[in-house]
Amino acid sequence: MKSVLAEKKGMGLSLFEKLCKTHPNSSSVLKKQYRMSEDILDLSNTIIYHGVMMHGSDQVRQQKVHFPREVNSMLTWLEEIKKRSVTFLKTDKVILSLKLKERQRFKYKNFIEAAICAMIIDNFKHCGVEASKITIITPFLDQ
């Protein structure tokens, strides 16, 4: 919330939060999920849910990305990404390799990370993965 005054007047709470506070006996924590594969749920459980989330479906738990065709990539790290449901890419060395003036230009917009995400998406699409089956999550607002 950007406005302190608006937050003091209750605008910092979502409608859902307000309903839960007003009617605490009418809400419950859902512990089963039916959307995330095992690797993604493990990550979410570790970072957010403190291990309480469970799989509601073995089919969803075991799902993996299927690559209908293979495309040889000169980027070996892209081949590694294809083997996992969750991958963290450390991009600081790419950014540090830029000259200081270039780094300052990219400071807030994360163009390098966005370009890497675009490469991953393009590679997956060339391998026959439907765009609607690809998700990339970044912690940056400008991507």
Side-chain angles (χ1 to χ4, degrees):
M1 177 68 41
K2 291 183 179 183
S3 169
V4 176
L5 179 60
E7 190 165 355
K8 283 182 183 177
K9 293 190 175 221
M11 301 298 279
L13 293 176
S14 70
L15 178 59
F16 184 73
E17 289 173 303
K18 289 177 185 178
L19 287 170
C20 288
K21 284 185 176 191
T22 306
H23 307 283
N25 294 332
S26 297
S27 64
S28 63
V29 176
L30 299 177
K31 294 181 182 177
K32 281 191 178 179
Q33 64 82 29
Y34 296 85
R35 296 174 58 185
M36 293 180 262
S37 68
E38 188 166 24
D39 294 337
I40 297 170
L41 180 61
D42 287 347
L43 175 66
S44 298
N45 256 336
T46 301
I47 295 174
I48 301 166
Y49 298 113
H50 309 291
V52 300
M53 290 294 288
M54 299 179 303
H55 295 284
S57 161
D58 278 339
Q59 180 184 355
V60 172
R61 181 180 65 79
Q62 296 168 359
Q63 69 187 354
K64 299 281 183 200
V65 175
H66 172 66
F67 296 93
R69 62 182 175 273
E70 193 59 41
V71 173
N72 292 330
S73 173
M74 294 181 65
L75 304 170
T76 55
W77 55 269
L78 275 174
E79 295 305 318
E80 286 299 312
I81 288 173
K82 291 178 189 176
K83 297 174 188 173
R84 301 181 178 93
S85 296
V86 176
T87 302
F88 289 95
L89 294 176
K90 188 174 179 181
T91 61
D92 58 338
K93 287 185 180 179
V94 176
I95 295 166
L96 289 174
S97 70
L98 298 173
K99 294 177 182 164
L100 180 61
K101 192 173 184 179
E102 291 171 321
R103 253 188 278 154
Q104 288 171 334
R105 194 175 92 210
F106 294 132
K107 190 174 180 181
Y108 297 105
K109 295 291 182 184
N110 305 302
F111 290 112
I112 302 293
E113 289 92 342
I116 292 169
C117 290
M119 258 193 280
I120 293 167
I121 293 167
D122 286 345
N123 191 274
F124 277 33
K125 286 168 53 180
H126 286 295
C127 291
V129 178
E130 295 175 39
S132 64
K133 303 286 184 191
I134 302 169
T135 301
I136 293 184
I137 302 169
T138 70
F140 303 108
L141 294 175
D142 288 331
Q143 294 187 11

